[in-house]
């Protein structure tokens, strides 16, 4: 077998496969044996029917077709390897020459990733937010810590913001018909958190134990999502929140530190690490965006259409799971169908182009990957998805998602290389060395990081 390619466009090639009939004979023999085991001919055991009899009973053409169908996938995959091609979808295959006893010729047109000329990284400069942590940021963290250790006492007064209350809710349509699935009692709630339904906080503030109030709102879930309804809230219990004083006793109870100063310093370091990670994420997005702006990336339209269809189905599934309609979603977003489709297509094209750019970087630099890197990435993905790591690993093994995981690691390395090659400054004008940024947001020695990798 031999193969050759012809470039039809930057994203499409024509692959020609030629197979001598002699190489096809083993496939033909296998087809005869398979067919002879399926037919019954008096005087012959199954699987022992001579080829001439098979031809009489079934026809030579049927045997040739079966042999070809069995052989074609192997020829196609071998030709892909021989020509170092990675198809982006299913090929359009044409049997251009197939005569009994003569050499076979097959052509396949397929989409491939284009070769991309990347811009000089030294020309890429982006600006990210400062990683400044203010005293107000630390105060906010301490306030959250105080709320975690708050105590509550029941009070006989109207509800106020910050109170922990127990409520009953009852929703009805505008004609007064109660909505069966929108009735609840004994619900705990913190006034002012705005975690339930719009208008609830305003209705509760000033309400006393045993009192009820009715307000208008829109349902946000279920089959009636988006419908205007009347909701009656009844207050059954009010508890006042008591926050602990910020002193050394509180610090020792709420943390591993002894003094307020130690706690504040630790919070400052934690927040700083988090902001550094935000800087790195912002830099990755901005660098890739700028590279895409400076790079011509041809896209296979069939791949774009396939991805668009998948994204539409994903949106529909998510809306259905949330109990929302597509029309209601568009209304909430303030979009028309055309605007939604335009945004979706723009996102799909940008996503595919970004993937092509990163794959080109991977190819140019011949990145490798070891088992430890792959395992760490899989564990991180499991944590992000909230799944049990063992179940997540079992799923990706059963569904052959390992190559996808490998690709993600490789593209991550490619993006890191692009960011390290660009100039990244914060808004204060400081040049950031993201190569020395560790995964936890701490900063290490660049030489040390390189030797460790």
């Amino acid at each position: 077998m031999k193969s050759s390619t012809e470039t039809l466009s930057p994203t499409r090639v024509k692959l020609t496969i030629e197979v001598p009939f002699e190489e096809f004979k083993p496939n033909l023999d296998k087809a005869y044996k398979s067919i002879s085991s399926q037919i019954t001919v008096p005087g012959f055991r199954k699987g022992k029917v001579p080829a001439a009899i098979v031809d009489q009973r079934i026809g030579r053409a049927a045997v040739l077709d079966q042999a070809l169908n069995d052989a074609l996938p192997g020829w196609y995959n071998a030709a892909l390897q021989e020509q170092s091609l990675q198809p982006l979808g299913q090929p359009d295959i044409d049997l251009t020459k197939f005569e009994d006893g003569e050499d076979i010729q097959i052509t396949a047109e397929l989409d491939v990733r284009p070769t991309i000329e990347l811009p000089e990284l030294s020309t890429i400069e982006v600006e990210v937010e400062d990683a400044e942590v203010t005293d107000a940021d630390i105060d906010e963290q301490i306030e959250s810590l105080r709320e975690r250790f708050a105590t509550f006492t029941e009070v006989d007064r109207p509800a106020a913001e910050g109170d922990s209350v127990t409520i009953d809710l009852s929703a009805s349509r505008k004609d007064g018909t109660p909505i069966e699935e929108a009735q609840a009692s004994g619900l705990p709630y913190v006034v002012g958190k705005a975690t339930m339904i719009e208008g609830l906080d305003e209705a509760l503030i000033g309400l006393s134990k045993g009192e009820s109030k009715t307000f208008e709102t829109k349902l946000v879930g279920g089959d009636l999502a988006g419908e205007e309804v009347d909701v009656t809230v009844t207050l059954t219990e009010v508890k006042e929140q008591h926050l602990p004083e910020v002193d050394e006793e509180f610090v020792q109870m709420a943390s591993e530190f002894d003094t307020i100063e130690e706690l504040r310093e630790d919070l400052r370091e934690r927040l700083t690490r988090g902001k550094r990670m935000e800087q790195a994420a912002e830099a990755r997005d901005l660098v890739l965006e700028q590279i895409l702006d400076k790079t011509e990336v041809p896209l296979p339209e069939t791949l774009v259409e396939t991805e668009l269809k998948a994204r539409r189905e994903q949106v529909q599934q998510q809306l259905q799971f949330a109990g929302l309609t597509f029309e209601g979603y568009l209304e909430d977003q303030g979009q028309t169908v055309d605007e939604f489709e335009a945004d979706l297509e723009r996102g799909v094209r940008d996503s595919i182009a970004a993937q092509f750019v990163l794959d080109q970087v991977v190819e140019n630099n011949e990145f490798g990957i070891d088992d430890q890197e792959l395992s760490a990435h899989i564990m991180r993905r499991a944590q992000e998805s909230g799944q049990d790591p063992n179940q997540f690993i079992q799923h990706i093994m059963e569904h052959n998602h390992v190559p996808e995981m490998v690709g993600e690691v490789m593209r991550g390395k490619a993006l890191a290389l692009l960011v390290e090659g660009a100039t990244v400054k914060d808004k204060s004008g400081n040049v950031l060395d993201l190569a020395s940024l560790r995964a936890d947001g701490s900063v290490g020695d660049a030489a040390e990081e390189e030797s460790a990798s």
Side-chain angles (χ1 to χ4, degrees):
M1 186 200 82
K2 64 178 181 178
S3 63
S4 59
T5 58
E6 176 188 351
T7 300
L8 303 178
S9 76
T11 62
R12 197 162 178 84
V13 299
K14 181 179 180 180
L15 175 65
T16 300
I17 304 170
E18 295 180 350
V19 182
F21 197 81
E22 284 297 319
E23 290 186 24
F24 180 55
K25 283 184 176 180
N27 303 99
L28 200 55
D29 293 339
K30 183 178 178 182
Y32 272 115
K33 185 174 182 179
S34 173
I35 293 173
S36 72
S37 67
Q38 300 172 39
I39 62 175
T40 301
V41 178
F44 297 97
R45 288 180 297 165
K46 282 193 173 184
K48 300 297 183 179
V49 181
I53 303 298
V54 172
D55 288 344
Q56 291 175 3
R57 292 294 186 95
I58 304 299
R60 172 79 168 179
V63 182
L64 289 168
D65 285 344
Q66 178 168 323
L68 180 66
N69 290 333
D70 290 343
L72 189 54
W75 294 342
Y76 175 67
N77 289 326
L80 290 179
Q81 292 185 1
E82 185 176 294
Q83 298 297 328
S84 300
L85 294 175
Q86 293 184 338
L88 298 176
Q90 294 300 316
D92 294 327
I93 294 180
D94 185 23
L95 185 60
T96 53
K97 183 181 177 183
F98 185 45
E99 296 291 340
D100 194 357
E102 298 184 10
D103 293 351
I104 303 165
Q105 186 179 81
I106 300 155
T107 60
E109 292 189 12
L110 56 146
D111 289 326
V112 295
R113 177 177 60 79
T115 299
I116 300 170
E117 291 293 329
L118 298 173
E120 178 59 45
L121 291 180
S122 61
T123 66
I124 306 296
E125 182 173 324
V126 299
E127 182 181 84
V128 299
E129 294 292 333
D130 289 337
E132 179 186 4
V133 175
T134 66
D135 288 340
D137 293 329
I138 298 173
D139 292 340
E140 184 179 343
Q141 292 294 309
I142 290 178
E143 194 66 18
S144 297
L145 199 58
R146 292 177 72 200
E147 290 178 1
R148 284 175 51 193
F149 288 87
T151 57
F152 296 88
T153 57
E154 190 169 354
V155 292
D156 187 17
R157 61 162 174 75
E161 186 166 341
D163 286 343
S164 176
V165 298
T166 305
I167 58 175
D168 299 338
L169 290 176
S170 175
S172 60
R173 293 187 173 89
K174 286 301 183 178
D175 62 3
T177 305
I179 301 173
E180 185 176 346
E181 61 268 32
Q183 313 291 317
S185 60
L187 294 175
Y189 183 68
V190 177
V191 181
K193 290 296 185 181
T195 55
M196 280 196 183
I197 53 178
E198 188 176 348
L200 179 59
D201 288 324
E202 292 79 2
L204 282 172
I205 293 176
L207 204 64
S208 296
K209 181 179 178 180
E211 292 183 340
S212 300
K213 191 170 184 178
T214 301
F215 60 97
E216 290 186 351
T217 191
K218 280 186 180 180
L219 293 180
V220 294
D223 296 335
L224 301 176
E227 182 173 335
E228 289 276 359
V229 297
D230 291 323
V231 175
T232 299
V233 57
T234 301
L235 184 62
T236 61
E237 185 180 54
V238 182
K239 289 184 177 181
E240 186 175 74
Q241 182 186 64
H242 300 282
L243 297 174
E245 292 294 328
V246 182
D247 53 22
E248 290 190 354
E249 182 180 352
F250 166 71
V251 170
Q252 292 166 13
M253 173 184 65
S255 73
E256 69 270 32
F257 302 105
D258 294 323
T259 66
I260 298 172
E261 290 73 19
E262 289 175 334
L263 174 60
R264 292 184 68 87
E265 187 56 37
D266 180 70
L267 289 172
R268 185 180 298 277
E269 174 58 26
R270 289 173 183 268
L271 289 172
T272 299
R273 291 203 302 267
K275 285 184 178 287
R276 290 195 196 111
M277 296 303 293
E278 291 173 5
Q279 282 183 324
E282 186 182 4
R284 287 192 292 268
D285 291 342
L286 292 175
V287 167
L288 188 54
E289 180 181 321
Q290 197 171 130
I291 288 175
L292 289 174
D293 287 342
K294 295 185 175 186
T295 307
E296 183 179 350
V297 185
L299 303 179
E301 290 305 315
T302 51
L303 180 62
V304 172
E305 285 302 319
T306 299
E307 185 62 23
L308 269 173
K309 181 181 178 182
R311 294 282 184 93
R312 290 191 194 101
E313 292 175 352
Q314 184 181 37
V315 170
Q316 292 285 3
Q317 289 173 356
Q318 290 173 341
L319 291 176
Q320 186 176 5
F321 182 77
L324 302 174
T325 64
F326 182 61
E327 293 73 17
Y329 170 78
L330 290 180
E331 184 179 347
D332 290 342
Q333 297 297 313
Q335 281 188 317
T336 65
V337 174
D338 289 342
E339 289 170 339
F340 168 81
E341 284 291 336
D343 284 349
L344 189 66
E345 182 171 350
R346 190 180 306 112
V348 165
R349 289 183 177 277
D350 288 347
S351 176
I352 296 174
Q355 181 176 315
F356 284 175
V357 164
L358 295 178
D359 286 345
Q360 186 69 61
V361 176
V362 170
E363 181 180 316
N364 292 350
N365 291 274
E366 299 181 349
F367 289 131
I369 180 173
D370 57 37
D371 291 342
Q372 186 176 356
E373 288 176 308
L374 181 58
S375 297
H377 180 71
I378 292 174
M379 292 299 292
R380 187 161 53 250
R381 284 291 306 274
Q383 291 173 350
E384 291 171 356
S385 66
Q387 296 183 48
D388 175 81
N390 291 328
Q391 292 179 350
F392 186 81
I393 292 171
Q394 183 178 355
H395 174 80
I396 66 173
M397 294 297 291
E398 289 177 352
H399 295 81
N400 194 30
H401 289 322
V402 173
E404 181 183 331
M405 298 290 111
V406 171
E408 290 178 1
V409 174
M410 294 295 203
R411 291 181 189 122
K413 290 185 174 185
L415 185 52
L417 182 69
L418 294 178
V419 174
E420 291 168 14
T423 299
V424 181
K425 295 181 179 179
D426 62 20
K427 289 189 179 297
S428 298
N430 301 305
V431 176
L432 305 181
D433 178 17
L434 296 179
S436 61
L437 186 65
R438 296 193 180 103
D440 64 352
S442 60
V443 178
D445 180 78
E448 173 190 331
E449 297 296 316
E450 184 175 348
S451 63
S453 61

